Amino acid sequence: MSAEVELQNVSIAFGNFYAAKNVNVKIGAGEFFSFLGPSGCGKTTLLRAVSGFLEPSQGKVLIDGQDMSGIGPNKRPTSLIFQNLALFPLMSVADNIAFSLEVRGHDKKSRRKRADELLDLVALNGQGDKKVHELSGGQKQRVAIARALAVEPKVLLLDEPLSALDLKLRQKMRTELRAIQQRVGITFIYITHDQGEALTMSDRVGVMNDGELEQVGTCYDVYEAPCTPFVATFVGENNAFFGKVEKVESGKVKVQTGGSSFIGQAGLGLDNKNYKFKAGDEVIMFVRPEAISLKGNSKKAQNSFSAEVKTIEFEGNLKNIFLRSAEDVDIRFSVPSSSDTSGMEPSKNVSLSFSQDNAVVLPTGALALD
Amino acid sequence: MNSFYRKNGPVIATFFLVAIIFWLIFLIVIPQLYMLDLSFRPNLPPLLRGGPDDVYTLTHYKHFLYGSETSKDAYNYVDIGVFLDTIITAVLVTVINLCFCYPIAFYIAKLATPNTARLLVLALVIPFWINELLRSFAIRILFAGEGVINNILLELGLITTAVNFIALDIALYTGLTYAYILLMIFPLYNALESLDTNQLEAAKDLGSSTLRTHWRIVIPHAKAGIASGCTMVFMLTAGALATPVVLSSPNTYWFTQLIYQWFNMNDNWSRGSAYSIILLVVSVTFVLLMMRLFKVTIGEVVR
């Protein structure tokens, strides 16, 4: 059983400070939805409002169409996995998992049976009698998931539960979480500041900044068609060219930036329509690092510029090349490690280009801090 | 030892060593050994001490159990009665104390804002800047026949004649409970404070009632703190003197009052020592038994 979760105009204030501002989103039953945003953007606060530990100052939380106001966390069909997991250290693994059943008065035998089933589900067969501290980080993670699933929640809420794990384990757990979600078929609401996590696991992502939900969309949409400069820079890497609109022609926008002009696509607004620009508007043109190539490598490339190489960073599968363009814009682009970069020593000037189709023009706004 | 000196410098290291050795040897080991020795010796006038009559004897311990030789009773019912009364009352006071202090400590540790917590701690500590004897007298005044509490109850019409709180020993229990409240609250607070608040929320999220969360999560976590607080309160209550002297009813006797009498009024230090040793040994044994029962180790309690 899964449930739909809807936030209607949810604002949450602590004194004068708004941790969440007028958030509206409808999360479908059985969906894996992530709230993605930097720390302090209000995503955890929002999750606490869904779980019932916080009441919104304004607005409503609906689960399966039912208004949740005044209903405590122990009465909601949700289950929360805490960032530090909050397993009970003095209980055995099985007792941890079956705690919610103990609370509901199930007898010892049926509790144990259910705990064993759930241990199977999270691939921890036969570990029920261990103490929590005897488990590894990844195993604790699974116990926390099993414990949260024991209540048979309609919605599982996850508050950055992978953040304490090392990279390899985190990547493994992503796949696993997604698999578990598909197996149990309930709604997952996931909170993270790690865009990799959000993009790999989710059906849809809501990007948050400063208490506001900036964009909601599929992972692909959020990456390829950001609505705001914040989303463009927070999700993935992006190069930002600040400038003014020179002219608009059949959906293509010509932007004057520094000494040169580039042509790009007007981005999609929140209303899913392309932004309408007119000459003289202050805009930012975003170009993904992977869209930039050395001039002549791609026939489609129609914007070109020259830049001075600053540093080259080796990242295993990729080489990241940092440059400064003639217009004084910091540029970053990446090439596969196997590519020949012999002509690109620092302080050398190179010609670069990118396709008009890969340049997104958005109105000015705050960027995500690196 | 060398590394201790290197770490702290010669002056501080020497001071620490001297202070610790002085404390251990002169303030704990020697007095206790002296009392133990004295308790096995007859009560002799100073001139005869060390003479041929000064031999080890069990006479004082026998006196506690069987009474004086002239008594016709099989056992020393009076002293044993007072002793058992003291131990049972001390247990009761410890339990009452725990029941009061647990919610207070939990509130300060987990629910109050930092400012409220500080204020509460201050409110708890400040009364203890006043001498124990004076505090006991204050409680006596509150509970007196025409004291504040009786007057309020009369005024409210809850009672028609004044209650003799002193004779009912209610004043004594209150005074004893209050006397060591801090020694219960602070270990409890320490234990509760270290509990991850997420555990409380996790329990709640899983559907647990407040009562069950305390029973299954909070109390097991705080067990060592509870044991530590209870041990201290029990030991000090069983060994209290000032509060029982001021607050006990004329027909209630505290075992320490007996000890005091042997030492000061009857000038029988040996018997007083024997009685002290009995109190000490029984109290310690009782505490160790309780710790065994609740599966707490000494290491956890003194942590």
Side-chain angles (χ1 to χ4, degrees):
Chain A
M1 273 290 284
S2 63
E4 190 181 273
V5 177
E6 189 176 358
L7 305 183
Q8 283 181 350
N9 304 316
V10 171
S11 294
I12 299 161
F14 299 107
N16 288 331
F17 170 73
Y18 273 83
K21 294 173 210 159
N22 201 27
V23 173
N24 279 294
V25 65
K26 202 168 180 176
I27 298 161
E31 189 176 7
F32 197 128
F33 188 93
S34 293
F35 283 106
L36 172 65
S39 42
C41 73
K43 53 192 193 302
T44 296
T45 311
L46 218 51
L47 197 74
R48 291 176 69 82
V50 177
S51 61
F53 286 109
L54 266 177
E55 284 289 332
S57 317
Q58 284 140 41
K60 273 193 254 182
V61 175
L62 305 171
I63 296 178
D64 256 352
Q66 198 195 340
D67 187 358
M68 285 289 128
S69 35
I71 298 177
N74 44 354
K75 305 272 187 250
R76 295 193 183 191
T78 59
S79 197
L80 177 61
I81 297 182
F82 290 80
Q83 190 164 8
N84 67 357
L85 307 181
L87 296 175
F88 307 130
L90 301 174
M91 293 184 199
S92 71
V93 167
D95 284 349
N96 259 283
I97 293 172
F99 183 70
S100 57
L101 303 176
E102 181 193 322
V103 164
R104 285 161 180 77
H106 293 234
D107 64 60
K108 222 173 183 156
K109 228 175 115 195
S110 70
R111 288 192 328 235
R112 186 60 206 230
K113 191 165 161 275
R114 181 82 178 121
D116 285 339
E117 280 169 24
L118 286 159
L119 281 168
D120 265 358
L121 178 79
V122 295
L124 277 180
N125 332 31
Q127 313 263 27
D129 292 320
K130 284 195 175 168
K131 286 272 181 211
V132 170
H133 66 84
E134 291 171 309
L135 302 181
S136 69
Q139 289 175 323
K140 284 183 190 161
Q141 197 75 53
R142 292 159 205 239
V143 174
I145 295 166
R147 187 179 71 174
L149 291 174
V151 255
E152 298 189 357
K154 294 178 176 175
V155 181
L156 189 68
L157 308 169
L158 304 101
D159 185 5
E160 305 208 29
L162 304 187
S163 55
L165 303 180
D166 58 54
L167 182 67
K168 274 276 169 268
L169 200 50
R170 208 155 63 216
Q171 287 169 340
K172 187 161 169 255
M173 285 307 292
R174 284 179 194 171
T175 323
E176 209 149 314
L177 263 180
R178 180 69 182 165
I180 289 172
Q181 193 257 345
Q182 276 164 352
R183 231 173 298 156
V184 294
I186 61 172
T187 314
F188 272 39
I189 302 182
Y190 193 90
I191 293 290
T192 182
H193 61 262
D194 181 334
Q195 39 122 355
E197 268 174 31
L199 297 181
T200 46
M201 291 190 286
S202 320
D203 294 314
R204 280 194 307 156
V205 177
V207 184
M208 286 195 73
N209 180 31
D210 211 8
E212 284 176 83
L213 194 55
E214 295 228 345
Q215 184 174 356
V216 178
T218 63
C219 304
Y220 184 84
D221 284 346
V222 168
Y223 189 80
E224 294 293 337
C227 292
T228 65
F230 177 82
V231 176
T233 45
F234 189 76
V235 183
E237 300 291 336
N238 235 328
N239 294 301
F241 296 90
F242 292 81
K244 270 192 178 135
V245 174
E246 212 173 288
K247 64 177 181 194
V248 184
E249 230 170 53
S250 60
K252 301 228 164 177
V253 186
K254 193 170 187 189
V255 177
Q256 168 95 42
T257 164
S260 2
S261 312
F262 298 136
I263 295 173
Q265 310 277 350
L268 283 174
L270 282 169
D271 51 4
N272 220 19
K273 286 184 192 135
N274 291 89
Y275 283 108
K276 296 262 179 283
F277 296 111
K278 55 183 193 304
D281 282 353
E282 300 264 355
V283 293
I284 312 174
M285 177 178 277
F286 291 100
V287 185
R288 293 278 180 201
E290 63 269 24
I292 296 178
S293 52
L294 286 165
K295 197 174 180 181
N297 283 4
S298 163
K299 280 179 187 134
K300 261 170 48 180
Q302 281 142 338
N303 293 305
S304 54
F305 62 103
S306 72
E308 187 191 329
V309 178
K310 290 287 175 200
T311 49
I312 300 177
E313 197 181 78
F314 178 71
E315 202 196 308
N317 54 339
L318 292 176
K319 280 184 208 163
N320 300 319
I321 300 152
F322 296 88
L323 316 95
R324 168 151 305 169
S325 76
E327 295 83 23
D328 257 0
V329 177
D330 285 319
I331 305 289
R332 160 188 186 150
F333 83 104
S334 310
V335 292
S337 289
S338 54
S339 323
D340 176 24
T341 49
S342 51
M344 301 192 68
E345 283 89 40
S347 84
K348 278 241 169 100
N349 266 305
V350 291
S351 292
L352 300 169
S353 60
F354 57 91
S355 152
Q356 292 179 357
D357 297 336
N358 290 332
V360 177
V361 181
L362 296 173
T364 50
L367 303 184
L369 299 171
D370 313 29
Chain B
M1 188 56 77
N2 266 339
S3 72
F4 179 71
Y5 263 82
R6 237 178 294 123
K7 220 195 251 166
N8 295 291
V11 179
I12 292 175
T14 309
F15 172 75
F16 275 156
L17 280 181
V18 169
I20 290 169
I21 288 169
F22 178 81
W23 178 64
L24 276 176
I25 306 283
F26 286 89
L27 300 181
I28 296 179
V29 177
I30 291 183
Q32 292 291 346
L33 282 180
Y34 181 73
M35 288 244 290
L36 190 67
D37 179 66
L38 203 57
S39 76
F40 287 107
R41 287 177 188 280
N43 187 35
L44 296 170
L47 274 176
L48 295 178
R49 279 176 207 159
D53 292 336
D54 199 351
V55 286
Y56 283 117
T57 165
L58 287 171
T59 174
H60 304 301
Y61 293 94
K62 278 186 182 150
H63 184 272
F64 172 75
L65 285 175
Y66 306 113
S68 64
E69 274 144 34
T70 55
S71 151
K72 291 193 184 73
D73 288 335
Y75 292 99
N76 187 351
Y77 291 117
V78 178
D79 287 7
I80 294 174
V82 169
F83 180 74
L84 290 180
D85 247 13
T86 302
I87 297 288
I88 291 166
T89 311
V91 170
L92 202 68
V93 165
T94 307
V95 172
I96 297 172
N97 210 321
L98 178 62
C99 294
F100 270 105
C101 292
Y102 180 82
I104 298 174
F106 185 77
Y107 183 80
I108 297 176
K110 285 285 147 221
L111 304 175
T113 61
N115 271 334
T116 321
R118 267 194 290 274
L119 271 176
L120 274 172
V121 170
L122 217 58
L124 284 167
V125 170
I126 287 178
F128 287 86
W129 292 352
I130 299 162
N131 177 285
E132 185 186 348
L133 212 51
L134 291 178
R135 258 184 290 128
S136 301
F137 274 113
I139 287 173
R140 196 183 171 101
I141 292 167
L142 285 176
F143 281 107
E146 291 185 11
V148 181
I149 293 173
N150 264 321
N151 281 340
I152 292 174
L153 290 177
L154 285 167
E155 201 70 25
L156 291 173
L158 290 172
I159 51 171
T160 47
T161 48
V163 179
N164 193 342
F165 290 113
I166 309 273
L168 291 170
D169 275 333
I170 291 175
L172 175 64
Y173 296 165
T174 311
L176 283 172
T177 306
Y178 187 51
Y180 306 111
I181 196 169
L182 293 187
L183 294 164
M184 184 64 92
I185 285 191
F186 286 133
L188 278 182
Y189 170 81
N190 267 340
L192 292 170
E193 215 260 329
S194 66
L195 176 68
D196 173 16
T197 311
N198 281 349
Q199 302 243 324
L200 301 176
E201 295 196 334
K204 190 167 187 192
D205 192 54
L206 294 169
S208 176
S209 63
T210 308
L211 213 61
R212 186 183 292 270
T213 306
H214 278 271
W215 182 245
R216 291 287 278 138
I217 315 287
V218 186
I219 293 177
H221 175 87
K223 200 167 75 173
I226 293 172
S228 166
C230 286
T231 305
M232 274 202 268
V233 169
F234 170 75
M235 292 297 239
L236 286 170
T237 309
L241 181 61
T243 312
V245 164
V246 176
L247 289 173
S248 61
S249 65
N251 44 19
T252 307
Y253 238 51
W254 207 248
F255 196 67
T256 48
Q257 284 172 285
L258 281 186
I259 297 173
Y260 179 80
Q261 278 183 355
W262 288 121
F263 271 103
N264 277 31
M265 285 141 96
N266 302 343
D267 205 14
N268 190 340
W269 281 41
S270 303
R271 188 154 295 168
S273 300
Y275 275 41
S276 305
I277 298 287
I278 291 170
L279 181 62
L280 180 73
V281 170
V282 172
S283 301
V284 170
T285 314
F286 179 75
V287 165
L288 292 177
L289 271 177
M290 285 296 122
M291 278 164 51
R292 168 69 61 89
L293 195 65
F294 288 104
K295 299 196 177 86
V296 191
T297 61
I298 294 200
E300 287 176 286
V301 171
V302 296
R303 187 173 55 192

